[in-house]
Short mmCIF file of all heavy atoms in Angstrom, two decimals:
data_model
loop_
_atom_site.label_atom_id
_atom_site.label_comp_id
_atom_site.label_asym_id
_atom_site.label_seq_id
_atom_site.Cartn_x
_atom_site.Cartn_y
_atom_site.Cartn_z
N LYS Q 22 9.08 -3.55 -16.77
CA LYS Q 22 9.60 -2.93 -15.59
C LYS Q 22 11.16 -3.03 -15.41
O LYS Q 22 11.68 -4.14 -15.62
CB LYS Q 22 8.86 -3.59 -14.43
CG LYS Q 22 7.42 -3.47 -14.29
CD LYS Q 22 6.62 -4.15 -13.40
CE LYS Q 22 6.37 -5.56 -13.72
NZ LYS Q 22 5.56 -5.88 -14.88
N LYS Q 23 11.75 -1.82 -14.98
CA LYS Q 23 13.15 -1.89 -14.67
C LYS Q 23 13.38 -1.31 -13.24
O LYS Q 23 12.42 -0.54 -12.85
CB LYS Q 23 13.87 -1.05 -15.65
CG LYS Q 23 13.70 -1.52 -17.12
CD LYS Q 23 14.25 -0.78 -18.18
CE LYS Q 23 14.01 -1.40 -19.55
NZ LYS Q 23 14.89 -0.90 -20.54
N LEU Q 24 14.41 -1.61 -12.62
CA LEU Q 24 14.62 -1.32 -11.18
C LEU Q 24 15.95 -0.61 -10.89
O LEU Q 24 16.92 -1.17 -11.31
CB LEU Q 24 14.41 -2.55 -10.38
CG LEU Q 24 14.56 -2.45 -8.82
CD1 LEU Q 24 13.54 -1.57 -8.17
CD2 LEU Q 24 14.51 -3.83 -8.26
N THR Q 25 15.91 0.48 -10.14
CA THR Q 25 17.10 0.88 -9.45
C THR Q 25 16.91 0.54 -7.96
O THR Q 25 15.82 0.89 -7.41
CB THR Q 25 17.35 2.39 -9.62
OG1 THR Q 25 16.26 3.08 -8.89
CG2 THR Q 25 17.55 2.82 -10.91
N LEU Q 26 17.80 -0.18 -7.38
CA LEU Q 26 17.64 -0.88 -6.03
C LEU Q 26 17.54 0.24 -4.99
O LEU Q 26 18.32 1.22 -5.07
CB LEU Q 26 18.78 -1.78 -5.80
CG LEU Q 26 18.74 -3.10 -6.64
CD1 LEU Q 26 20.11 -3.83 -6.54
CD2 LEU Q 26 17.67 -4.01 -6.31
N GLY Q 27 16.57 0.01 -4.12
CA GLY Q 27 16.44 1.02 -2.94
C GLY Q 27 17.07 0.33 -1.75
O GLY Q 27 17.44 -0.89 -1.73
N ASN Q 28 17.07 1.00 -0.53
CA ASN Q 28 17.67 0.51 0.57
C ASN Q 28 16.81 -0.50 1.34
O ASN Q 28 17.41 -1.31 2.16
CB ASN Q 28 17.83 1.72 1.66
CG ASN Q 28 16.65 2.46 1.78
OD1 ASN Q 28 15.95 3.06 1.06
ND2 ASN Q 28 16.13 2.47 3.15
N HIS Q 29 15.74 -0.75 0.94
CA HIS Q 29 14.83 -1.92 1.32
C HIS Q 29 14.71 -3.07 0.47
O HIS Q 29 14.02 -4.06 0.67
CB HIS Q 29 13.40 -1.31 1.69
CG HIS Q 29 13.49 -0.63 2.92
ND1 HIS Q 29 13.72 -1.01 4.17
CD2 HIS Q 29 13.03 0.78 3.06
CE1 HIS Q 29 13.63 0.01 4.99
NE2 HIS Q 29 13.28 1.11 4.36
N ASP Q 30 15.34 -3.00 -0.71
CA ASP Q 30 15.27 -4.07 -1.66
C ASP Q 30 16.40 -5.08 -1.54
O ASP Q 30 17.34 -5.13 -2.19
CB ASP Q 30 15.33 -3.39 -3.19
CG ASP Q 30 14.20 -2.59 -3.46
OD1 ASP Q 30 13.14 -2.94 -3.02
OD2 ASP Q 30 14.47 -1.55 -4.15
N ASN Q 31 16.14 -5.90 -0.36
CA ASN Q 31 17.13 -6.76 0.10
C ASN Q 31 16.99 -8.25 -0.18
O ASN Q 31 17.75 -9.00 0.35
CB ASN Q 31 17.32 -6.64 1.65
CG ASN Q 31 17.46 -5.19 2.06
OD1 ASN Q 31 18.22 -4.55 1.45
ND2 ASN Q 31 16.90 -4.84 3.12
N TYR Q 32 16.07 -8.55 -1.07
CA TYR Q 32 15.71 -10.07 -1.31
C TYR Q 32 16.77 -10.52 -2.36
O TYR Q 32 17.49 -9.82 -3.04
CB TYR Q 32 14.36 -10.18 -1.61
CG TYR Q 32 13.39 -9.85 -0.63
CD1 TYR Q 32 12.71 -8.59 -0.60
CD2 TYR Q 32 13.12 -10.67 0.46
CE1 TYR Q 32 11.95 -8.21 0.39
CE2 TYR Q 32 12.29 -10.33 1.56
CZ TYR Q 32 11.69 -9.03 1.56
OH TYR Q 32 10.90 -8.72 2.58
N ASP Q 33 16.76 -11.77 -2.58
CA ASP Q 33 17.67 -12.45 -3.47
C ASP Q 33 17.34 -11.85 -4.84
O ASP Q 33 16.18 -11.77 -5.26
CB ASP Q 33 17.28 -14.01 -3.62
CG ASP Q 33 18.24 -14.77 -4.42
OD1 ASP Q 33 18.57 -14.28 -5.58
OD2 ASP Q 33 18.70 -15.72 -3.93
N ILE Q 34 18.36 -11.47 -5.51
CA ILE Q 34 18.21 -10.79 -6.89
C ILE Q 34 17.47 -11.58 -7.87
O ILE Q 34 16.69 -11.05 -8.71
CB ILE Q 34 19.53 -10.31 -7.34
CG1 ILE Q 34 19.57 -9.37 -8.45
CG2 ILE Q 34 20.33 -11.60 -8.04
CD1 ILE Q 34 19.31 -7.88 -7.94
N ARG Q 35 17.42 -12.86 -7.71
CA ARG Q 35 16.76 -13.73 -8.60
C ARG Q 35 15.14 -13.53 -8.58
O ARG Q 35 14.50 -13.61 -9.47
CB ARG Q 35 17.01 -15.23 -8.51
CG ARG Q 35 18.40 -15.54 -8.94
CD ARG Q 35 18.89 -16.93 -8.49
NE ARG Q 35 18.99 -16.98 -7.05
CZ ARG Q 35 19.58 -17.96 -6.36
NH1 ARG Q 35 20.24 -18.86 -7.00
NH2 ARG Q 35 19.72 -17.80 -5.10
N GLU Q 36 14.75 -13.10 -7.35
CA GLU Q 36 13.30 -12.91 -7.14
C GLU Q 36 13.02 -11.72 -7.95
O GLU Q 36 11.90 -11.55 -8.70
CB GLU Q 36 12.97 -12.62 -5.66
CG GLU Q 36 13.15 -13.92 -4.88
CD GLU Q 36 12.13 -15.02 -5.30
OE1 GLU Q 36 10.94 -14.73 -5.70
OE2 GLU Q 36 12.61 -16.17 -5.22
N TYR Q 37 13.71 -10.67 -7.90
CA TYR Q 37 13.41 -9.32 -8.67
C TYR Q 37 13.52 -9.66 -10.18
O TYR Q 37 12.84 -9.08 -10.95
CB TYR Q 37 14.44 -8.23 -8.33
CG TYR Q 37 14.22 -7.74 -6.90
CD1 TYR Q 37 15.11 -8.39 -5.79
CD2 TYR Q 37 13.37 -6.86 -6.47
CE1 TYR Q 37 15.05 -7.91 -4.50
CE2 TYR Q 37 13.25 -6.41 -5.17
CZ TYR Q 37 14.06 -7.04 -4.31
OH TYR Q 37 13.90 -6.64 -2.86
N LEU Q 38 14.49 -10.42 -10.61
CA LEU Q 38 14.70 -10.78 -11.99
C LEU Q 38 13.46 -11.46 -12.74
O LEU Q 38 13.40 -11.44 -13.82
CB LEU Q 38 16.04 -11.52 -12.35
CG LEU Q 38 17.28 -10.65 -12.07
CD1 LEU Q 38 18.40 -11.56 -12.09
CD2 LEU Q 38 17.31 -9.71 -13.34
N LYS Q 39 12.67 -12.02 -11.76
CA LYS Q 39 11.49 -12.61 -12.44
C LYS Q 39 10.45 -11.62 -12.94
O LYS Q 39 9.56 -11.89 -13.80
CB LYS Q 39 10.70 -13.53 -11.41
CG LYS Q 39 11.55 -14.65 -10.91
CD LYS Q 39 10.72 -15.42 -9.70
CE LYS Q 39 11.53 -16.57 -9.20
NZ LYS Q 39 10.89 -17.14 -8.00
N TYR Q 40 10.56 -10.31 -12.46
CA TYR Q 40 9.62 -9.29 -12.78
C TYR Q 40 10.28 -8.01 -13.39
O TYR Q 40 9.57 -7.21 -14.14
CB TYR Q 40 8.91 -8.82 -11.61
CG TYR Q 40 8.17 -10.01 -10.95
CD1 TYR Q 40 8.67 -10.74 -9.88
CD2 TYR Q 40 6.93 -10.46 -11.44
CE1 TYR Q 40 8.05 -11.72 -9.25
CE2 TYR Q 40 6.28 -11.52 -10.90
CZ TYR Q 40 6.85 -12.10 -9.74
OH TYR Q 40 6.18 -13.25 -9.31
N PHE Q 41 11.45 -7.83 -13.29
CA PHE Q 41 12.20 -6.68 -13.76
C PHE Q 41 13.26 -7.14 -14.86
O PHE Q 41 14.02 -8.12 -14.65
CB PHE Q 41 12.95 -5.96 -12.65
CG PHE Q 41 12.04 -5.28 -11.70
CD1 PHE Q 41 11.76 -5.93 -10.52
CD2 PHE Q 41 11.45 -3.98 -11.90
CE1 PHE Q 41 10.89 -5.37 -9.58
CE2 PHE Q 41 10.60 -3.41 -11.03
CZ PHE Q 41 10.32 -4.01 -9.87
N THR Q 42 13.21 -6.46 -16.04
CA THR Q 42 14.12 -6.82 -17.13
C THR Q 42 15.56 -6.23 -16.90
O THR Q 42 16.37 -6.71 -17.65
CB THR Q 42 13.51 -6.38 -18.47
OG1 THR Q 42 13.46 -4.95 -18.43
CG2 THR Q 42 12.21 -6.87 -18.73
N LYS Q 43 15.75 -5.20 -16.08
CA LYS Q 43 16.94 -4.65 -15.81
C LYS Q 43 16.89 -4.21 -14.36
O LYS Q 43 15.99 -3.73 -13.86
CB LYS Q 43 17.20 -3.47 -16.78
CG LYS Q 43 18.52 -2.80 -16.59
CD LYS Q 43 19.01 -1.71 -17.55
CE LYS Q 43 20.29 -1.23 -17.28
NZ LYS Q 43 20.89 -0.63 -18.44
N ILE Q 44 18.06 -4.38 -13.71
CA ILE Q 44 18.32 -3.95 -12.27
C ILE Q 44 19.66 -3.32 -12.26
O ILE Q 44 20.62 -3.78 -12.69
CB ILE Q 44 18.24 -5.15 -11.42
CG1 ILE Q 44 16.81 -5.82 -11.48
CG2 ILE Q 44 18.44 -4.78 -10.05
CD1 ILE Q 44 16.64 -7.17 -10.63
N ALA Q 45 19.64 -2.16 -11.56
CA ALA Q 45 20.91 -1.35 -11.41
C ALA Q 45 20.84 -0.63 -10.24
O ALA Q 45 19.77 -0.49 -9.56
CB ALA Q 45 21.00 -0.37 -12.64
N ALA Q 46 21.95 -0.06 -9.78
CA ALA Q 46 22.14 0.78 -8.57
C ALA Q 46 21.61 2.14 -9.00
O ALA Q 46 20.87 2.88 -8.27
CB ALA Q 46 23.52 0.98 -8.18
N ALA Q 47 21.96 2.68 -10.19
CA ALA Q 47 21.49 3.97 -10.80
C ALA Q 47 21.62 3.87 -12.30
O ALA Q 47 22.40 3.08 -12.73
CB ALA Q 47 22.22 5.05 -10.20
N VAL Q 48 20.91 4.73 -13.02
CA VAL Q 48 21.04 4.71 -14.44
C VAL Q 48 20.86 6.18 -14.93
O VAL Q 48 20.30 6.98 -14.24
CB VAL Q 48 19.96 3.93 -15.22
CG1 VAL Q 48 20.16 2.36 -14.94
CG2 VAL Q 48 18.57 4.25 -14.86
N VAL Q 49 21.38 6.45 -16.07
CA VAL Q 49 21.19 7.76 -16.67
C VAL Q 49 20.24 7.60 -17.86
O VAL Q 49 20.43 6.78 -18.74
CB VAL Q 49 22.60 8.41 -17.25
CG1 VAL Q 49 22.34 9.69 -17.87
CG2 VAL Q 49 23.50 8.44 -15.94
N VAL Q 50 19.13 8.34 -17.89
CA VAL Q 50 18.21 8.30 -18.94
C VAL Q 50 17.95 9.77 -19.32
O VAL Q 50 17.68 10.77 -18.49
CB VAL Q 50 16.79 7.66 -18.48
CG1 VAL Q 50 15.86 7.73 -19.49
CG2 VAL Q 50 17.10 6.35 -18.01
N LYS Q 51 18.14 10.10 -20.64
CA LYS Q 51 18.00 11.47 -21.15
C LYS Q 51 18.82 12.55 -20.43
O LYS Q 51 18.39 13.63 -20.20
CB LYS Q 51 16.49 11.84 -21.11
CG LYS Q 51 15.67 11.03 -21.96
CD LYS Q 51 14.14 11.56 -22.02
CE LYS Q 51 13.40 10.75 -22.98
NZ LYS Q 51 12.10 11.26 -23.26
N GLY Q 52 19.98 12.12 -19.87
CA GLY Q 52 20.82 13.00 -19.20
C GLY Q 52 20.57 13.10 -17.69
O GLY Q 52 21.36 13.82 -16.99
N TYR Q 53 19.53 12.50 -17.19
CA TYR Q 53 19.05 12.57 -15.87
C TYR Q 53 19.55 11.28 -15.11
O TYR Q 53 19.25 10.16 -15.60
CB TYR Q 53 17.68 12.86 -15.76
CG TYR Q 53 17.20 14.16 -16.19
CD1 TYR Q 53 17.07 14.44 -17.53
CD2 TYR Q 53 16.98 15.22 -15.32
CE1 TYR Q 53 16.70 15.72 -17.97
CE2 TYR Q 53 16.77 16.45 -15.76
CZ TYR Q 53 16.55 16.67 -17.09
OH TYR Q 53 16.21 17.93 -17.54
N LEU Q 54 20.02 11.51 -13.80
CA LEU Q 54 20.37 10.33 -13.03
C LEU Q 54 19.19 9.76 -12.35
O LEU Q 54 18.59 10.68 -11.65
CB LEU Q 54 21.45 10.70 -12.04
CG LEU Q 54 21.87 9.48 -11.25
CD1 LEU Q 54 22.77 8.53 -12.11
CD2 LEU Q 54 22.74 9.90 -10.05
N LEU Q 55 18.82 8.57 -12.53
CA LEU Q 55 17.65 7.88 -11.85
C LEU Q 55 18.30 7.10 -10.75
O LEU Q 55 19.16 6.27 -11.01
CB LEU Q 55 16.83 6.98 -12.82
CG LEU Q 55 15.73 7.70 -13.65
CD1 LEU Q 55 16.28 8.96 -14.44
CD2 LEU Q 55 15.10 6.59 -14.63
N SER Q 56 17.94 7.33 -9.58
CA SER Q 56 18.55 6.66 -8.32
C SER Q 56 17.43 6.43 -7.35
O SER Q 56 16.42 7.26 -7.35
CB SER Q 56 19.68 7.36 -7.76
OG SER Q 56 19.37 8.65 -7.38
N HIS Q 57 17.69 5.77 -6.30
CA HIS Q 57 16.70 5.55 -5.18
C HIS Q 57 17.02 6.74 -4.19
O HIS Q 57 15.99 7.58 -4.01
CB HIS Q 57 16.87 4.29 -4.40
CG HIS Q 57 15.89 4.30 -3.21
ND1 HIS Q 57 14.51 4.36 -3.43
CD2 HIS Q 57 16.02 4.27 -1.90
CE1 HIS Q 57 13.94 4.28 -2.19
NE2 HIS Q 57 14.81 4.29 -1.34
N ILE Q 58 18.26 6.87 -3.64
CA ILE Q 58 18.51 7.85 -2.81
C ILE Q 58 19.15 9.04 -3.55
O ILE Q 58 19.81 8.93 -4.60
CB ILE Q 58 19.57 7.39 -1.77
CG1 ILE Q 58 18.89 6.26 -1.00
CG2 ILE Q 58 20.12 8.51 -0.83
CD1 ILE Q 58 19.79 5.55 0.09
N PRO Q 59 18.78 10.29 -3.15
CA PRO Q 59 19.27 11.49 -3.90
C PRO Q 59 20.79 11.52 -3.85
O PRO Q 59 21.44 11.13 -2.89
CB PRO Q 59 18.71 12.79 -3.08
CG PRO Q 59 17.58 12.20 -2.29
CD PRO Q 59 17.81 10.68 -2.12
N ILE Q 60 21.34 11.88 -4.94
CA ILE Q 60 22.84 12.00 -5.13
C ILE Q 60 23.40 13.30 -4.34
O ILE Q 60 22.76 14.25 -4.22
CB ILE Q 60 23.28 11.88 -6.48
CG1 ILE Q 60 22.84 13.10 -7.36
CG2 ILE Q 60 23.04 10.64 -7.08
CD1 ILE Q 60 23.59 13.31 -8.62
N CYS Q 61 24.71 13.33 -4.23
CA CYS Q 61 25.36 14.46 -3.70
C CYS Q 61 25.34 15.54 -4.75
O CYS Q 61 25.65 15.28 -5.94
CB CYS Q 61 26.79 14.14 -3.32
SG CYS Q 61 27.84 15.48 -2.80
N GLY Q 62 25.14 16.78 -4.43
CA GLY Q 62 25.00 17.88 -5.37
C GLY Q 62 26.18 18.12 -6.21
O GLY Q 62 26.05 18.79 -7.20
N ASN Q 63 27.31 17.80 -5.80
CA ASN Q 63 28.58 17.98 -6.45
C ASN Q 63 28.76 17.25 -7.79
O ASN Q 63 29.56 17.42 -8.51
CB ASN Q 63 29.91 17.99 -5.76
CG ASN Q 63 30.18 16.59 -5.27
OD1 ASN Q 63 29.52 15.54 -5.56
ND2 ASN Q 63 31.29 16.39 -4.44
N GLN Q 64 27.75 16.35 -7.89
CA GLN Q 64 27.67 15.47 -9.22
C GLN Q 64 26.97 16.13 -10.26
O GLN Q 64 26.93 15.57 -11.55
CB GLN Q 64 27.07 14.16 -8.90
CG GLN Q 64 27.87 13.21 -7.86
CD GLN Q 64 29.18 12.90 -8.57
OE1 GLN Q 64 29.27 12.44 -9.72
NE2 GLN Q 64 30.18 13.06 -7.83
N PHE Q 65 26.32 17.23 -10.09
CA PHE Q 65 25.44 17.93 -11.15
C PHE Q 65 26.17 18.35 -12.35
O PHE Q 65 25.48 18.37 -13.41
CB PHE Q 65 24.60 18.96 -10.57
CG PHE Q 65 23.33 18.39 -9.94
CD1 PHE Q 65 23.19 18.66 -8.59
CD2 PHE Q 65 22.51 17.69 -10.66
CE1 PHE Q 65 22.08 17.96 -7.82
CE2 PHE Q 65 21.32 17.09 -10.00
CZ PHE Q 65 21.19 17.24 -8.66
N PRO Q 66 27.43 18.67 -12.42
CA PRO Q 66 27.89 18.99 -13.69
C PRO Q 66 27.90 17.73 -14.60
O PRO Q 66 27.86 17.97 -15.83
CB PRO Q 66 29.41 19.38 -13.45
CG PRO Q 66 29.44 19.85 -12.09
CD PRO Q 66 28.27 19.06 -11.32
N ARG Q 67 27.72 16.51 -14.13
CA ARG Q 67 27.66 15.39 -14.92
C ARG Q 67 26.30 15.07 -15.37
O ARG Q 67 26.06 14.35 -16.39
CB ARG Q 67 28.22 14.19 -14.21
CG ARG Q 67 29.64 14.27 -13.88
CD ARG Q 67 30.15 13.25 -12.98
NE ARG Q 67 30.01 11.86 -13.66
CZ ARG Q 67 29.96 10.73 -13.03
NH1 ARG Q 67 30.10 10.74 -11.77
NH2 ARG Q 67 29.76 9.72 -13.79
N PHE Q 68 25.19 15.53 -14.66
CA PHE Q 68 23.89 15.20 -14.86
C PHE Q 68 22.99 16.45 -15.08
O PHE Q 68 23.30 17.42 -14.33
CB PHE Q 68 23.31 14.21 -13.87
CG PHE Q 68 24.21 13.16 -13.54
CD1 PHE Q 68 24.84 13.02 -12.36
CD2 PHE Q 68 24.28 12.06 -14.56
CE1 PHE Q 68 25.65 11.91 -12.13
CE2 PHE Q 68 25.02 10.98 -14.34
CZ PHE Q 68 25.78 10.87 -13.17
N LYS Q 69 21.90 16.35 -15.74
CA LYS Q 69 20.97 17.60 -15.83
C LYS Q 69 20.09 17.67 -14.59
O LYS Q 69 19.74 18.76 -14.35
CB LYS Q 69 19.98 17.34 -17.12
CG LYS Q 69 20.74 17.28 -18.36
CD LYS Q 69 19.64 17.11 -19.45
CE LYS Q 69 20.21 16.96 -20.90
NZ LYS Q 69 19.28 16.65 -21.84
#
């Protein structure tokens, strides 16, 4: 399990690290941005 933090993920990061091998605000996988909240549309030249 890996995690991009959401707006309700407010607990101590050490609690999440017991279950998730990676934690980030957002990540790019296969050219796609993975995030909790949708990004602003003007970022699309950077992502598929």
Side-chain angles (χ1 to χ4, degrees):
K22 296 172 282 299
K23 300 179 181 197
L24 175 65
T25 64
L26 291 167
N28 55 298
H29 291 294
D30 297 323
N31 303 324
Y32 298 102
D33 187 312
I34 199 75
R35 290 173 291 198
E36 292 299 320
Y37 295 97
L38 285 168
K39 292 175 185 175
Y40 302 97
F41 293 96
T42 61
K43 181 172 182 161
I44 298 174
V48 294
V49 178
V50 179
K51 297 186 176 189
Y53 291 83
L54 183 71
L55 277 54
S56 61
H57 178 64
I58 296 174
I60 61 160
C61 177
N63 67 5
Q64 293 295 311
F65 278 116
R67 297 176 59 201
F68 308 110
K69 296 177 183 176

